[in-house]
Structures are given as structure tokens and as C-alpha cells.
Amino acid sequence: MSHFSQIKTQIRNLDSLKDALTELGIDWKPGPREVRGYRGQTHPAEVTIEQENGYDIGFRWNGKEYELVADLQYWQQNLSVDGFLRQVTQRYAFQTVVKETARVGFQVAEQQKNEDGSIRLVVQRWSA
């Protein structure tokens, strides 16, 4: 019986996911790699986060998005699973917006982190 849980996300861009994890100071390994779980069980993932207890967290492409894969019984992060995903998703969204706006000629003019944790981002583009 597998102890792995798969949690759906809205994360679809692997590069933005990697950048978000890096920005959050999370030490991740590129895949494909195996996420280690209960009794030596493994699960394939494109990004793996090793935990000190020997059980990993991963992000796996399911055909639509990168879902979080982990044995939640051995979750060993500073935040809850929901808190962790909220933080990763926020940084992922930030990375995606910055990359997409840069691709169409915009630059970040202002960035402000609000007390509620939200981010205010102002982008601009100069035209000739």
C-alpha cells in the first residue's frame, strides 16, 4: 500500500517552479529523480526536495500540472503542507508574471511586499 499523496497545483512551468524554490531558499534537485517514501517506496518526480529524515518531497508532471508528491506522514518542513504550497505558488506566480511581462518588453518598475504577504508589482514598457 502506497503512502504517497499527490496534491494538485496550478503550477505548469517547470523553470518558474525551480526559480520559485530557489528564491525561497529551498535546496532542490533536478529530475527525473525518485522521491523516497515509506519502506523504501519511491515515486518519480521532475523536482525533488530532500528532507533530513530521508523522506522526500517532489513535484511530478501529471499531464496537466506539477503536483506535489510526498509521504505526508513524514513531512518535515517549517510550514504546513498548505503553507508550503501557498508560499511556493505565490513565488511561482511572481516568477511567471515577471518572465512573461519581460518576454513582451516590460520591466519591473516597482515591487512591494505588503503586510498581508501579498506582493504589489508595477511593470512598465517604454515605447518609441
Side-chain angles (χ1 to χ4, degrees), residues 8-30:
K8 293 194 181 301
T9 70
Q10 296 295 311
I11 296 172
R12 293 184 179 88
N13 182 291
L14 186 58
D15 289 333
S16 291
L17 170 61
K18 290 175 178 178
D19 290 344
L21 293 171
T22 299
E23 190 176 334
L24 290 168
I26 297 170
D27 184 23
W28 58 271
K29 308 276 188 271

PDB file of all heavy atoms in Angstrom, residues 8-30:
ATOM      1  N   LYS A   8      -2.756  18.345  -6.080  1.00  0.00           N
ATOM      2  CA  LYS A   8      -2.835  19.141  -7.310  1.00  0.00           C
ATOM      3  C   LYS A   8      -2.423  20.589  -7.042  1.00  0.00           C
ATOM      4  O   LYS A   8      -2.638  21.116  -5.958  1.00  0.00           O
ATOM      5  CB  LYS A   8      -4.248  19.103  -7.873  1.00  0.00           C
ATOM      6  CG  LYS A   8      -4.651  17.737  -8.369  1.00  0.00           C
ATOM      7  CD  LYS A   8      -5.901  17.809  -9.203  1.00  0.00           C
ATOM      8  CE  LYS A   8      -6.329  16.459  -9.683  1.00  0.00           C
ATOM      9  NZ  LYS A   8      -5.367  15.748 -10.480  1.00  0.00           N
ATOM     10  N   THR A   9      -1.827  21.199  -8.060  1.00  0.00           N
ATOM     11  CA  THR A   9      -1.423  22.603  -8.004  1.00  0.00           C
ATOM     12  C   THR A   9      -1.871  23.273  -9.303  1.00  0.00           C
ATOM     13  O   THR A   9      -2.474  22.633 -10.161  1.00  0.00           O
ATOM     14  CB  THR A   9       0.112  22.745  -7.895  1.00  0.00           C
ATOM     15  OG1 THR A   9       0.696  22.343  -9.134  1.00  0.00           O
ATOM     16  CG2 THR A   9       0.683  21.911  -6.751  1.00  0.00           C
ATOM     17  N   GLN A  10      -1.544  24.525  -9.440  1.00  0.00           N
ATOM     18  CA  GLN A  10      -1.761  25.247 -10.696  1.00  0.00           C
ATOM     19  C   GLN A  10      -0.409  25.534 -11.362  1.00  0.00           C
ATOM     20  O   GLN A  10      -0.302  26.412 -12.209  1.00  0.00           O
ATOM     21  CB  GLN A  10      -2.504  26.563 -10.425  1.00  0.00           C
ATOM     22  CG  GLN A  10      -3.898  26.369  -9.875  1.00  0.00           C
ATOM     23  CD  GLN A  10      -4.817  25.679 -10.874  1.00  0.00           C
ATOM     24  OE1 GLN A  10      -4.894  26.067 -12.025  1.00  0.00           O
ATOM     25  NE2 GLN A  10      -5.482  24.637 -10.435  1.00  0.00           N
ATOM     26  N   ILE A  11       0.613  24.797 -10.982  1.00  0.00           N
ATOM     27  CA  ILE A  11       1.973  25.028 -11.477  1.00  0.00           C
ATOM     28  C   ILE A  11       2.163  24.257 -12.779  1.00  0.00           C
ATOM     29  O   ILE A  11       2.038  23.030 -12.800  1.00  0.00           O
ATOM     30  CB  ILE A  11       3.003  24.603 -10.407  1.00  0.00           C
ATOM     31  CG1 ILE A  11       2.842  25.488  -9.164  1.00  0.00           C
ATOM     32  CG2 ILE A  11       4.415  24.657 -10.964  1.00  0.00           C
ATOM     33  CD1 ILE A  11       3.661  25.062  -7.970  1.00  0.00           C
ATOM     34  N   ARG A  12       2.478  24.995 -13.844  1.00  0.00           N
ATOM     35  CA  ARG A  12       2.613  24.363 -15.159  1.00  0.00           C
ATOM     36  C   ARG A  12       3.964  24.616 -15.827  1.00  0.00           C
ATOM     37  O   ARG A  12       4.273  23.983 -16.822  1.00  0.00           O
ATOM     38  CB  ARG A  12       1.498  24.858 -16.080  1.00  0.00           C
ATOM     39  CG  ARG A  12       0.148  24.384 -15.620  1.00  0.00           C
ATOM     40  CD  ARG A  12      -0.964  24.776 -16.562  1.00  0.00           C
ATOM     41  NE  ARG A  12      -2.230  24.260 -16.068  1.00  0.00           N
ATOM     42  CZ  ARG A  12      -3.016  24.895 -15.228  1.00  0.00           C
ATOM     43  NH1 ARG A  12      -2.664  26.073 -14.762  1.00  0.00           N
ATOM     44  NH2 ARG A  12      -4.150  24.360 -14.815  1.00  0.00           N
ATOM     45  N   ASN A  13       4.748  25.544 -15.307  1.00  0.00           N
ATOM     46  CA  ASN A  13       6.023  25.891 -15.920  1.00  0.00           C
ATOM     47  C   ASN A  13       7.155  25.458 -14.997  1.00  0.00           C
ATOM     48  O   ASN A  13       7.306  25.994 -13.895  1.00  0.00           O
ATOM     49  CB  ASN A  13       6.082  27.400 -16.200  1.00  0.00           C
ATOM     50  CG  ASN A  13       7.362  27.801 -16.879  1.00  0.00           C
ATOM     51  OD1 ASN A  13       8.428  27.750 -16.282  1.00  0.00           O
ATOM     52  ND2 ASN A  13       7.260  28.211 -18.136  1.00  0.00           N
ATOM     53  N   LEU A  14       7.949  24.499 -15.464  1.00  0.00           N
ATOM     54  CA  LEU A  14       9.000  23.926 -14.626  1.00  0.00           C
ATOM     55  C   LEU A  14      10.071  24.949 -14.265  1.00  0.00           C
ATOM     56  O   LEU A  14      10.535  24.988 -13.124  1.00  0.00           O
ATOM     57  CB  LEU A  14       9.618  22.714 -15.333  1.00  0.00           C
ATOM     58  CG  LEU A  14      10.642  21.905 -14.542  1.00  0.00           C
ATOM     59  CD1 LEU A  14      10.048  21.376 -13.244  1.00  0.00           C
ATOM     60  CD2 LEU A  14      11.178  20.760 -15.393  1.00  0.00           C
ATOM     61  N   ASP A  15      10.470  25.797 -15.217  1.00  0.00           N
ATOM     62  CA  ASP A  15      11.510  26.792 -14.927  1.00  0.00           C
ATOM     63  C   ASP A  15      11.058  27.783 -13.854  1.00  0.00           C
ATOM     64  O   ASP A  15      11.828  28.132 -12.963  1.00  0.00           O
ATOM     65  CB  ASP A  15      11.920  27.543 -16.199  1.00  0.00           C
ATOM     66  CG  ASP A  15      12.717  26.654 -17.152  1.00  0.00           C
ATOM     67  OD1 ASP A  15      13.368  25.699 -16.687  1.00  0.00           O
ATOM     68  OD2 ASP A  15      12.681  26.917 -18.365  1.00  0.00           O
ATOM     69  N   SER A  16       9.804  28.221 -13.934  1.00  0.00           N
ATOM     70  CA  SER A  16       9.289  29.143 -12.917  1.00  0.00           C
ATOM     71  C   SER A  16       9.190  28.460 -11.554  1.00  0.00           C
ATOM     72  O   SER A  16       9.443  29.087 -10.522  1.00  0.00           O
ATOM     73  CB  SER A  16       7.920  29.693 -13.328  1.00  0.00           C
ATOM     74  OG  SER A  16       8.061  30.563 -14.428  1.00  0.00           O
ATOM     75  N   LEU A  17       8.842  27.168 -11.545  1.00  0.00           N
ATOM     76  CA  LEU A  17       8.816  26.406 -10.288  1.00  0.00           C
ATOM     77  C   LEU A  17      10.213  26.345  -9.674  1.00  0.00           C
ATOM     78  O   LEU A  17      10.392  26.624  -8.488  1.00  0.00           O
ATOM     79  CB  LEU A  17       8.275  24.986 -10.522  1.00  0.00           C
ATOM     80  CG  LEU A  17       8.414  24.016  -9.351  1.00  0.00           C
ATOM     81  CD1 LEU A  17       7.659  24.497  -8.117  1.00  0.00           C
ATOM     82  CD2 LEU A  17       7.949  22.622  -9.761  1.00  0.00           C
ATOM     83  N   LYS A  18      11.203  26.013 -10.475  1.00  0.00           N
ATOM     84  CA  LYS A  18      12.589  25.927  -9.984  1.00  0.00           C
ATOM     85  C   LYS A  18      13.061  27.281  -9.453  1.00  0.00           C
ATOM     86  O   LYS A  18      13.685  27.353  -8.396  1.00  0.00           O
ATOM     87  CB  LYS A  18      13.508  25.430 -11.096  1.00  0.00           C
ATOM     88  CG  LYS A  18      13.288  23.979 -11.466  1.00  0.00           C
ATOM     89  CD  LYS A  18      14.146  23.592 -12.657  1.00  0.00           C
ATOM     90  CE  LYS A  18      13.975  22.136 -13.025  1.00  0.00           C
ATOM     91  NZ  LYS A  18      14.781  21.775 -14.214  1.00  0.00           N
ATOM     92  N   ASP A  19      12.751  28.349 -10.201  1.00  0.00           N
ATOM     93  CA  ASP A  19      13.144  29.694  -9.761  1.00  0.00           C
ATOM     94  C   ASP A  19      12.453  30.071  -8.449  1.00  0.00           C
ATOM     95  O   ASP A  19      13.054  30.692  -7.574  1.00  0.00           O
ATOM     96  CB  ASP A  19      12.825  30.736 -10.835  1.00  0.00           C
ATOM     97  CG  ASP A  19      13.740  30.606 -12.050  1.00  0.00           C
ATOM     98  OD1 ASP A  19      14.796  29.947 -11.956  1.00  0.00           O
ATOM     99  OD2 ASP A  19      13.390  31.173 -13.109  1.00  0.00           O
ATOM    100  N   ALA A  20      11.185  29.696  -8.313  1.00  0.00           N
ATOM    101  CA  ALA A  20      10.442  29.988  -7.081  1.00  0.00           C
ATOM    102  C   ALA A  20      11.072  29.265  -5.893  1.00  0.00           C
ATOM    103  O   ALA A  20      11.267  29.851  -4.825  1.00  0.00           O
ATOM    104  CB  ALA A  20       8.981  29.575  -7.234  1.00  0.00           C
ATOM    105  N   LEU A  21      11.401  27.985  -6.062  1.00  0.00           N
ATOM    106  CA  LEU A  21      12.025  27.221  -4.977  1.00  0.00           C
ATOM    107  C   LEU A  21      13.380  27.819  -4.602  1.00  0.00           C
ATOM    108  O   LEU A  21      13.700  27.952  -3.420  1.00  0.00           O
ATOM    109  CB  LEU A  21      12.182  25.754  -5.391  1.00  0.00           C
ATOM    110  CG  LEU A  21      10.886  24.972  -5.571  1.00  0.00           C
ATOM    111  CD1 LEU A  21      11.159  23.596  -6.183  1.00  0.00           C
ATOM    112  CD2 LEU A  21      10.137  24.829  -4.254  1.00  0.00           C
ATOM    113  N   THR A  22      14.156  28.196  -5.611  1.00  0.00           N
ATOM    114  CA  THR A  22      15.465  28.812  -5.354  1.00  0.00           C
ATOM    115  C   THR A  22      15.301  30.123  -4.596  1.00  0.00           C
ATOM    116  O   THR A  22      16.010  30.376  -3.615  1.00  0.00           O
ATOM    117  CB  THR A  22      16.213  29.046  -6.685  1.00  0.00           C
ATOM    118  OG1 THR A  22      16.420  27.780  -7.321  1.00  0.00           O
ATOM    119  CG2 THR A  22      17.551  29.724  -6.460  1.00  0.00           C
ATOM    120  N   GLU A  23      14.357  30.945  -5.029  1.00  0.00           N
ATOM    121  CA  GLU A  23      14.114  32.237  -4.383  1.00  0.00           C
ATOM    122  C   GLU A  23      13.706  32.056  -2.921  1.00  0.00           C
ATOM    123  O   GLU A  23      14.031  32.887  -2.067  1.00  0.00           O
ATOM    124  CB  GLU A  23      13.023  32.983  -5.149  1.00  0.00           C
ATOM    125  CG  GLU A  23      12.857  34.401  -4.713  1.00  0.00           C
ATOM    126  CD  GLU A  23      11.830  35.144  -5.555  1.00  0.00           C
ATOM    127  OE1 GLU A  23      11.601  34.780  -6.718  1.00  0.00           O
ATOM    128  OE2 GLU A  23      11.254  36.100  -5.012  1.00  0.00           O
ATOM    129  N   LEU A  24      13.004  30.971  -2.627  1.00  0.00           N
ATOM    130  CA  LEU A  24      12.580  30.685  -1.252  1.00  0.00           C
ATOM    131  C   LEU A  24      13.700  30.048  -0.421  1.00  0.00           C
ATOM    132  O   LEU A  24      13.518  29.769   0.757  1.00  0.00           O
ATOM    133  CB  LEU A  24      11.359  29.765  -1.254  1.00  0.00           C
ATOM    134  CG  LEU A  24      10.065  30.410  -1.749  1.00  0.00           C
ATOM    135  CD1 LEU A  24       9.000  29.348  -1.997  1.00  0.00           C
ATOM    136  CD2 LEU A  24       9.571  31.445  -0.748  1.00  0.00           C
ATOM    137  N   GLY A  25      14.852  29.814  -1.039  1.00  0.00           N
ATOM    138  CA  GLY A  25      15.983  29.228  -0.326  1.00  0.00           C
ATOM    139  C   GLY A  25      15.842  27.734  -0.113  1.00  0.00           C
ATOM    140  O   GLY A  25      16.476  27.161   0.781  1.00  0.00           O
ATOM    141  N   ILE A  26      15.025  27.083  -0.919  1.00  0.00           N
ATOM    142  CA  ILE A  26      14.807  25.635  -0.797  1.00  0.00           C
ATOM    143  C   ILE A  26      15.820  24.915  -1.671  1.00  0.00           C
ATOM    144  O   ILE A  26      15.959  25.212  -2.863  1.00  0.00           O
ATOM    145  CB  ILE A  26      13.361  25.276  -1.208  1.00  0.00           C
ATOM    146  CG1 ILE A  26      12.381  25.944  -0.243  1.00  0.00           C
ATOM    147  CG2 ILE A  26      13.170  23.762  -1.251  1.00  0.00           C
ATOM    148  CD1 ILE A  26      10.935  25.877  -0.681  1.00  0.00           C
ATOM    149  N   ASP A  27      16.546  23.982  -1.080  1.00  0.00           N
ATOM    150  CA  ASP A  27      17.541  23.193  -1.796  1.00  0.00           C
ATOM    151  C   ASP A  27      16.823  22.075  -2.547  1.00  0.00           C
ATOM    152  O   ASP A  27      16.303  21.147  -1.934  1.00  0.00           O
ATOM    153  CB  ASP A  27      18.559  22.626  -0.802  1.00  0.00           C
ATOM    154  CG  ASP A  27      19.685  21.878  -1.493  1.00  0.00           C
ATOM    155  OD1 ASP A  27      19.953  22.140  -2.684  1.00  0.00           O
ATOM    156  OD2 ASP A  27      20.290  21.008  -0.833  1.00  0.00           O
ATOM    157  N   TRP A  28      16.768  22.161  -3.860  1.00  0.00           N
ATOM    158  CA  TRP A  28      16.065  21.181  -4.681  1.00  0.00           C
ATOM    159  C   TRP A  28      17.035  20.547  -5.666  1.00  0.00           C
ATOM    160  O   TRP A  28      18.086  21.101  -5.967  1.00  0.00           O
ATOM    161  CB  TRP A  28      14.890  21.832  -5.409  1.00  0.00           C
ATOM    162  CG  TRP A  28      15.294  22.981  -6.290  1.00  0.00           C
ATOM    163  CD1 TRP A  28      15.396  24.295  -5.910  1.00  0.00           C
ATOM    164  CD2 TRP A  28      15.687  22.918  -7.654  1.00  0.00           C
ATOM    165  NE1 TRP A  28      15.829  25.056  -6.976  1.00  0.00           N
ATOM    166  CE2 TRP A  28      16.010  24.242  -8.061  1.00  0.00           C
ATOM    167  CE3 TRP A  28      15.795  21.892  -8.581  1.00  0.00           C
ATOM    168  CZ2 TRP A  28      16.444  24.543  -9.350  1.00  0.00           C
ATOM    169  CZ3 TRP A  28      16.217  22.194  -9.868  1.00  0.00           C
ATOM    170  CH2 TRP A  28      16.528  23.503 -10.240  1.00  0.00           C
ATOM    171  N   LYS A  29      16.651  19.376  -6.150  1.00  0.00           N
ATOM    172  CA  LYS A  29      17.459  18.644  -7.131  1.00  0.00           C
ATOM    173  C   LYS A  29      16.624  18.451  -8.394  1.00  0.00           C
ATOM    174  O   LYS A  29      15.451  18.107  -8.325  1.00  0.00           O
ATOM    175  CB  LYS A  29      17.860  17.272  -6.587  1.00  0.00           C
ATOM    176  CG  LYS A  29      18.521  17.291  -5.217  1.00  0.00           C
ATOM    177  CD  LYS A  29      19.992  17.560  -5.320  1.00  0.00           C
ATOM    178  CE  LYS A  29      20.708  17.387  -3.996  1.00  0.00           C
ATOM    179  NZ  LYS A  29      20.763  18.553  -3.169  1.00  0.00           N
ATOM    180  N   PRO A  30      17.255  18.661  -9.566  1.00  0.00           N
ATOM    181  CA  PRO A  30      16.520  18.459 -10.814  1.00  0.00           C
ATOM    182  C   PRO A  30      16.299  16.977 -11.095  1.00  0.00           C
ATOM    183  O   PRO A  30      17.087  16.135 -10.665  1.00  0.00           O
ATOM    184  CB  PRO A  30      17.429  19.093 -11.867  1.00  0.00           C
ATOM    185  CG  PRO A  30      18.803  19.004 -11.290  1.00  0.00           C
ATOM    186  CD  PRO A  30      18.633  19.099  -9.795  1.00  0.00           C
TER     187      PRO A  30
END
